[in-house]
Each structure stands twice: as C-alpha cells, then as structure tokens.
Amino acid sequence: MKKWVVLLIAIIGIASCKKMFPAAVQEEMVLDGPVEGLTSEQQSQFLAGDVAFNDEIFTAETGLGPYFVSTSCGSCHAGDGKGHPFTTLTRFGQADGSGNIFDRNGGPQLQNRAIPGHTPEKLPPGTPFSKFMPPANTGLGYLAALTDVQIAANADPDDADGDGISGIPNYITPPAYFEPQWYHQPHNGKYIGRFGKKAGAISLLQQTVNAYQQDMGITSEYEMNEPSIYNGTVEGADNVPDPEISKSTILNVVFYLRTLKVPIQRNPEDADVVAGKNIFMQLGCQKCHTPEWRTEGSDIAALAHKIFYPYTDMLMHDMGKALDDGYTEGTAKTYEWRTPPLWGLGLSKNSQGGQYFLLHDGRAHTIHDAITQHGGEAEAIKNKYTAMSEQERSKLIKFLESL
C-alpha cells in the first residue's frame, strides 16, 4: 500500500476519534486541580494526596470502622464539590461551657454504619442534633493561610457600628497534636476555628484527622482511638492494628486540600452578572460574605501574598430561629453558623446530582430558598431582597451562580 494511502487512512482515523471523544472540560467548570506555581516536588505530593483522598476506599480488612459513615474521602466530596443528602453527616450534642456533654456518649458525630459483627450507633434519646452537608474543598489553603489577626479584625461582637451585623470568631480548644503557627493567635488557650459549619476545626490537619476518625473509623498517629458510640464504649475493636493510616498519608491529604485551586468565576463581564454584583453590595450581603482577602506569608510560596475572592468573613453569625438546630460546637451557640464561602456556588449542582442542596443541612433547593431562610443578623437584608423586583432578584442570583 502506498505511503500516502496509509497517511490518508491515519488522518481519517484521527478525525473520527476526535468526533468520538467529548470536548475537554473548561477549567472554570471544574473545582479540582492544583494551584499554579507548585514545585515539581509539591506537585508529586499533591498527586499523592489526590490518590489518597479520591481513590482509596477502606474496607474492614484495611481498618474501616468498626463504626463509620463513609468508606472514602471522595465519596462525600465528588469532584471536590459539595455533598449530597445521602452523604450528610449527623452531629449531635450540646456544650455546657467545658465541651460537648455528649462526647462521652458517642458525640459529636453519629456513626450510622458498622462493619459486620458491630451495631451501628443510634442517637441518644432527646439529643439535640444537626445535619451537616459536606462542603466543597477548593480554595481551602487560602482560607487556612489567613492570620487569626486578619479574621478577628472583622469581628464586631457588640455591633459597635450599628449595622445589625455582629460576627464573632469561634474559639476552639486545640487537640493535643496541634502546633501553633505564626498566623495563630492564642485566646485564653484557644484558637480561631476556621473549618466546618460552625468553624469547629482550627486547621486542615485537625479537620482531616477528625474526618478519618469520625467519618471512616480510621485511626492515625494523631488520633489513635476508634470512634465510640452511644454508651461511650467500643464493642470490641476491629482487627487492624492502630494506627490504620500512615502519618505521611495524612500529611499528603492535608497538602492536597491546601493546594487545591480556587473556583474560577464564570462570565464576570456579563451585564446581568455585573448588575447582580452591584445588587449584592447594595443589599449589604458583603457585610458577612466578604468578597476579597489577601494572604500574608506561607510555607507554600504559591499561597503567599495572594488576593482571592471567597465571599466569607470566616466568622460566626446569629442566623435566626429557622436555622437553630439546638446543636453547639466550641463557643458557638445553637443559632450561630460560620459564613460559608460563596465561591463555587454555581457549580454545586454538578456534585449534588443536578440539584442544589444548600445551607448547612441541604434544606434549600434553590439559591432563592437559601436567601429567604436567612434570619437573625441577616433578617433586614433578607427583607430587602424579598422586596426587590423579580428582575433584580434574577440578576443577583445570576451573579451568585457565576461564582
């Protein structure tokens, strides 16, 4: 066969293949991927953390349980996005000033599944509880890089400026393994919580260690105890020696979470998006959903001195009676919740089965529903929103979905 015929067949074959394969997904349409500027060594650690987070599925033979909620990190954070009602966590208990009084009765998290030979946990009768929707993971390293001084600077516990907004930090007692960094500022032996619905974790290391232990029953050098259940005991440990995961794997996952990219806004110059942002600011939404931050130093050069736009103040706010679940964490009251970042909001449906499940427990199925269930400090702003024209509300929502 002549060479040109072979070449022609090859060209036709390549063209046919291109028609068969889907087009590449645009970067702004996905949440996973590393920040720019990582060294080759850091890229390798990112990939190792990616594999541990998204690919490793635990079984009873590899340490799962004996009590657990999920079998992998990725099962609750598909594509590093928000969770689904099927992956919702149940947190329970109430603080008495010294901590969650139900910790000795299996708190703060319900392990509703168990490996063979063990009994899943049930909520103690009459226990206050709340459902927590797993959050998106992206951009967490930037939030972790903020200093306690930066976060506390926005607090206004007594509403000194009279705007009705009085955000406060949630001060958390650190775990034994916690080592303060230069950006942590002690406050009566406690530190500002940054992660979780009520900002119950000070660092991504604490958040990760807790997730392995509480969500999957996986012990580590940082937390050697299996999760306890209702009566405060463990019905016989599993058959896998502790720790069930290596310290290096924990640190790789933490690095992965620290170096996931920030969500990229879509269509920022669209006329309706621009108008919606103006409405957002006019309503006063930015008083809690602070648009812009700038990191200071960081041991990861790619995170140092960077401007980013998460739309959160990282503070706790009174959200009113409708969102009061009776559950407390740290110094947070039952009706107080950390301002959730809004970046990536418009991509939430991609990981939630095509439908929104918003607010801390996923009760709101549209952005409109989420806004109208705000209360407490946000009551006046919500009332301004509901008084707007449908066209104005539509532009605001289009802006929020662009984030």
Side-chain angles (χ1 to χ4, degrees), residues 179-220:
E179 296 181 1
Q181 304 300 311
W182 66 269
Y183 47 84
H184 291 123
Q185 184 73 31
H187 179 84
N188 298 324
K190 299 182 179 182
Y191 297 86
I192 292 178
R194 299 155 182 259
F195 304 105
K197 304 299 183 183
K198 286 185 178 285
I202 303 167
S203 67
L204 287 173
L205 175 61
Q206 183 182 6
Q207 183 82 345
T208 301
V209 169
N210 288 350
Y212 270 106
Q213 193 242 10
Q214 291 288 313
D215 298 356
M216 296 171 280
I218 299 297
T219 58
S220 65

Side-chain angles (χ1 to χ4, degrees), residues 363-401:
R363 69 178 70 181
H365 301 311
T366 66
I367 294 175
H368 172 80
D369 288 344
I371 295 173
T372 56
Q373 293 191 55
H374 282 50
E377 296 173 39
E379 184 75 23
I381 294 173
K382 176 191 70 177
N383 291 339
K384 290 179 183 178
Y385 167 79
T386 56
M388 291 192 309
S389 69
E390 184 175 344
Q391 185 180 36
E392 289 174 311
R393 291 200 297 267
S394 177
K395 290 178 180 178
L396 173 63
I397 290 173
K398 188 170 182 180
F399 160 68
L400 294 173
E401 289 190 315

Side-chain angles (χ1 to χ4, degrees), residues 31-364:
L31 293 174
D32 57 352
V35 299
E36 294 183 359
L38 296 182
T39 66
S40 57
E41 182 179 354
Q42 289 171 335
Q43 288 173 354
S44 296
Q45 187 172 10
F46 176 90
L47 291 174
D50 190 348
V51 170
F53 190 93
N54 290 299
D55 296 344
E56 186 166 9
I57 299 175
F58 291 97
T59 65
E61 291 70 33
T62 58
L64 180 68
Y67 318 107
F68 64 98
V69 178
S70 59
T71 59
S72 69
C73 302
S75 64
C76 289
H77 306 273
D80 289 303
K82 288 181 182 292
H84 184 275
F86 291 147
T87 61
T88 298
L89 307 175
T90 299
R91 310 279 290 183
F92 67 93
Q94 203 165 64
D96 63 357
S98 60
N100 188 340
I101 61 177
F102 284 88
D103 280 354
R104 55 185 171 269
N105 289 327
Q109 184 160 293
L110 179 75
Q111 281 83 36
N112 62 337
R113 301 170 69 186
I115 62 175
H118 297 267
T119 305
E121 185 177 20
K122 295 182 180 180
L123 279 173
T127 308
F129 71 93
S130 184
K131 297 287 187 178
F132 280 14
M133 185 70 59
N137 296 324
T138 53
L140 295 180
Y142 292 87
L143 299 175
L146 296 174
T147 69
D148 281 7
V149 171
Q150 283 179 286
I151 296 172
N154 287 332
D156 185 13
D158 300 317
D159 190 20
D161 58 7
D163 65 354
I165 307 298
S166 53
I168 58 173
N170 188 3
Y171 287 102
I172 303 297
T173 301
Y177 56 80
F178 176 72
E179 296 181 1
Q181 304 300 311
W182 66 269
Y183 47 84
H184 291 123
Q185 184 73 31
H187 179 84
N188 298 324
K190 299 182 179 182
Y191 297 86
I192 292 178
R194 299 155 182 259
F195 304 105
K197 304 299 183 183
K198 286 185 178 285
I202 303 167
S203 67
L204 287 173
L205 175 61
Q206 183 182 6
Q207 183 82 345
T208 301
V209 169
N210 288 350
Y212 270 106
Q213 193 242 10
Q214 291 288 313
D215 298 356
M216 296 171 280
I218 299 297
T219 58
S220 65
E221 290 184 25
Y222 300 102
E223 178 52 81
M224 292 287 282
N225 296 318
E226 306 281 3
S228 62
I229 56 172
Y230 171 37
N231 58 5
T233 62
V234 175
E235 298 174 349
D238 55 38
N239 297 319
V240 180
D242 300 315
E244 295 160 335
I245 192 172
S246 69
K247 181 178 181 179
S248 62
T249 298
I250 289 281
L251 294 179
N252 286 341
V253 169
V254 171
F255 187 86
Y256 171 72
L257 294 174
R258 289 184 68 194
T259 53
L260 279 166
K261 72 177 189 181
V262 301
I264 301 171
Q265 186 178 9
R266 296 159 306 287
N267 305 316
E269 297 181 1
D270 179 272
D272 285 346
V273 170
V274 172
K277 183 176 181 179
N278 290 334
I279 292 170
F280 180 90
M281 304 298 285
Q282 291 163 8
L283 285 173
C285 304
Q286 82 286 355
K287 292 179 180 179
C288 297
H289 292 283
T290 306
E292 180 181 312
W293 288 87
R294 185 181 188 274
T295 62
E296 295 188 8
S298 175
D299 58 317
I300 300 174
L303 299 178
H305 310 294
K306 293 292 191 298
I307 296 174
F308 61 104
Y309 302 89
Y311 289 86
T312 175
D313 61 4
M314 301 292 283
L315 297 173
M316 308 294 297
H317 293 276
D318 173 2
M319 293 305 297
K321 185 176 180 179
L323 297 180
D324 185 345
D325 284 348
Y327 172 72
T328 60
E329 214 168 70
T331 58
K333 297 180 176 63
T334 59
Y335 47 80
E336 290 178 329
W337 301 92
R338 186 202 66 157
T339 305
L342 295 179
W343 57 6
L345 175 60
L347 300 179
S348 297
K349 288 188 290 187
N350 294 354
S351 61
Q352 295 188 308
Q355 179 180 344
Y356 282 123
F357 295 95
L358 304 175
L359 297 177
H360 66 274
D361 55 3
R363 69 178 70 181

